[in-house]
Amino acid sequence: MQILDYTHNFWLVAASLCVAMIAGFTGLSLTQGLSKRSVNQRKLAISMAAIALGGGIWSMHFVAMLGLQLPIQFYFDATVTLISALVAILVVGIALLLLHFRPRTPAVLAGAGIIVGLGIIAMHYIGMAGLQLCRPLYSPGGITLAVIGSCVLNMAAFWIAYGQRSHRNILLGTVCFGSAVFIVHFVAIWGTSFVAIGAEGDVGPMIGKEVLAIGVVLSSFVLCAAFLLTGISFVTPAQPKPETEAPVPQELPVKKPVEPKFARQIPYEQDGRTHFFDANSVAAIRAEGHYTHIYAQGRRYFCVWSITEAERRLDPATFTKTHRSYLVNPAFVESFERLKDNGICHMNLPGLPRVPVSRARLKAVREVLGV
């Protein structure tokens, strides 16, 4: 019986380590903060984490086995391969149930690490039993070292990841878990020899290395990514919005009313120049088309303001609108005559002996004049 020499494909070995790390991160992330969730949510998260972690253990093992290079062709029995994957998922699920439904004492942490450690060993040797066309030979020292190393490293991984459920501890636990799976596999391979055997009866369908190379690596990444997204979308409860105190209404600064600025002078045109009268010295203003005439100092003068502009610019305390065409300074009204529905202000001014008061303005004019 000739012992076969073997080597490893560096890139597939590196890929197997990446698979273990990603699976560890996915599983530990999905179980973060489960104590704040309902029982059903915890069970769902643990199920996904068990598939991610257990599937990652299985995937790492077979990706690494794809990197095993023997001088002969070898295959894996599909039935035995499936059993090894289910064993890994089952033991991880048991450990997670223990961690999340029991008080997390040091004994529980150690027990979870031992369960997963023994599960990794069981998965490894069950998977190795599925080898076809060659047979593994195990040394007692290799088995013992693999069992002890698996239990110790997994206890350390759970102790770090669950000692304090922070992001930092999850990352450190991921490194420990991925390293544990990786190291245990190659320690077990170190204690294993391979011999060629003749083709025997088929136990089940065979899976070639080419198929495994594509399926195992891709399925591991897709599965972990899908579970992370699913966990974020459906498992993690919506965070309640923090209650914020109602803002204290602040007193707005009191703005002082802006006093309107009225014109103190009224312009008029004479001899090609613009002159000005003091507004208080003007007796009346009469509309003349788009312009006005102002009456002051016993004479009439032309002003470029319209009657509307004059009303807007002048202080209403000085000028009162008696008609749509007239503004009157009450100080210059000599007498008031009440007619049936309107009135007349007698001004006794040259060219403006009296100013009409419309019915609409009658009441306001009488109040200003005090009659």
Side-chain angles (χ1 to χ4, degrees), residues 344-356:
I344 296 175
C345 290
H346 294 273
M347 307 296 293
N348 195 21
L349 294 174
L352 188 67
R354 57 185 187 175
V355 174

Side-chain angles (χ1 to χ4, degrees), residues 250-271:
Q250 297 181 353
E251 295 184 359
L252 297 176
V254 179
K255 294 183 178 180
K256 295 182 179 180
V258 179
E259 296 182 359
K261 295 182 179 180
F262 298 109
R264 295 182 179 181
Q265 294 179 314
I266 301 176
Y268 67 95
E269 304 296 323
Q270 190 177 43
D271 300 330

Side-chain angles (χ1 to χ4, degrees), residues 3-87:
I3 303 297
L4 301 175
D5 294 329
Y6 62 87
T7 58
H8 288 92
N9 184 308
F10 171 79
W11 296 109
L12 290 180
V13 170
S16 69
L17 179 60
C18 291
V19 169
M21 293 293 181
I22 292 173
F25 177 77
T26 302
L28 295 177
S29 297
L30 287 173
T31 56
Q32 185 179 20
L34 289 187
S35 59
K36 300 178 182 178
R37 304 176 192 172
S38 65
V39 173
N40 290 333
Q41 286 180 326
R42 275 189 280 174
K43 289 179 179 179
L44 176 60
I46 287 173
S47 299
M48 291 192 296
I51 295 173
L53 281 172
I57 294 170
W58 174 84
S59 299
M60 181 271 145
H61 168 79
F62 280 98
V63 172
M65 287 304 298
L66 290 174
L68 180 67
Q69 296 177 336
L70 293 171
I72 63 170
Q73 183 69 32
F74 61 92
Y75 303 93
F76 292 92
D77 180 84
T79 303
V80 178
T81 299
L82 178 61
I83 292 173
S84 67
L86 294 177
V87 167

Side-chain angles (χ1 to χ4, degrees), residues 148-223:
I148 295 174
S150 181
C151 292
V152 171
L153 291 173
N154 279 282
M155 281 193 293
F158 281 119
W159 194 281
I160 293 173
Y162 282 88
Q164 182 179 356
R165 298 294 280 163
S166 63
H167 294 296
R168 175 177 174 272
N169 283 49
I170 286 179
L171 290 176
L172 291 176
T174 296
V175 174
C176 289
F177 177 81
S179 300
V181 177
F182 184 81
I183 292 171
V184 167
H185 172 83
F186 285 99
V187 167
I189 291 295
W190 170 79
T192 303
S193 301
F194 299 92
V195 296
I197 59 175
E200 299 180 355
D202 292 338
V203 177
M206 303 299 179
I207 303 177
K209 290 194 295 183
E210 293 79 7
V211 177
L212 285 175
I214 297 173
V216 174
V217 176
L218 291 181
S219 62
S220 298
F221 283 93
V222 171
L223 186 69

Side-chain angles (χ1 to χ4, degrees), residues 210-353:
E210 293 79 7
V211 177
L212 285 175
I214 297 173
V216 174
V217 176
L218 291 181
S219 62
S220 298
F221 283 93
V222 171
L223 186 69
C224 290
F227 277 0
L228 281 175
L229 292 175
T230 304
I232 293 172
S233 303
F234 299 104
V235 176
T236 304
Q239 297 294 330
K241 294 183 179 179
E243 296 183 0
T244 56
E245 296 182 358
V248 179
Q250 297 181 353
E251 295 184 359
L252 297 176
V254 179
K255 294 183 178 180
K256 295 182 179 180
V258 179
E259 296 182 359
K261 295 182 179 180
F262 298 109
R264 295 182 179 181
Q265 294 179 314
I266 301 176
Y268 67 95
E269 304 296 323
Q270 190 177 43
D271 300 330
R273 295 183 181 181
T274 300
H275 302 270
F276 298 93
F277 277 121
D278 183 273
N280 293 323
S281 66
V282 175
I285 302 175
R286 187 185 71 182
E288 191 70 29
H290 294 293
Y291 305 101
T292 53
H293 285 156
I294 63 175
Y295 294 84
Q297 297 180 357
R299 296 181 61 184
R300 183 180 67 181
Y301 300 90
F302 175 78
C303 178
V304 295
W305 288 355
S306 65
I307 192 68
T308 302
E309 185 177 2
E311 183 182 7
R312 179 176 59 84
R313 286 177 174 268
L314 297 174
D315 189 351
T318 304
F319 287 88
T320 300
K321 190 173 185 179
T322 63
H323 187 274
R324 65 181 180 180
S325 300
Y326 289 90
L327 290 174
V328 172
N329 187 340
F332 289 86
V333 176
E334 291 187 349
S335 62
F336 174 77
E337 181 181 356
R338 170 70 185 274
L339 301 179
K340 185 176 181 180
D341 292 327
N342 48 32
I344 296 175
C345 290
H346 294 273
M347 307 296 293
N348 195 21
L349 294 174
L352 188 67

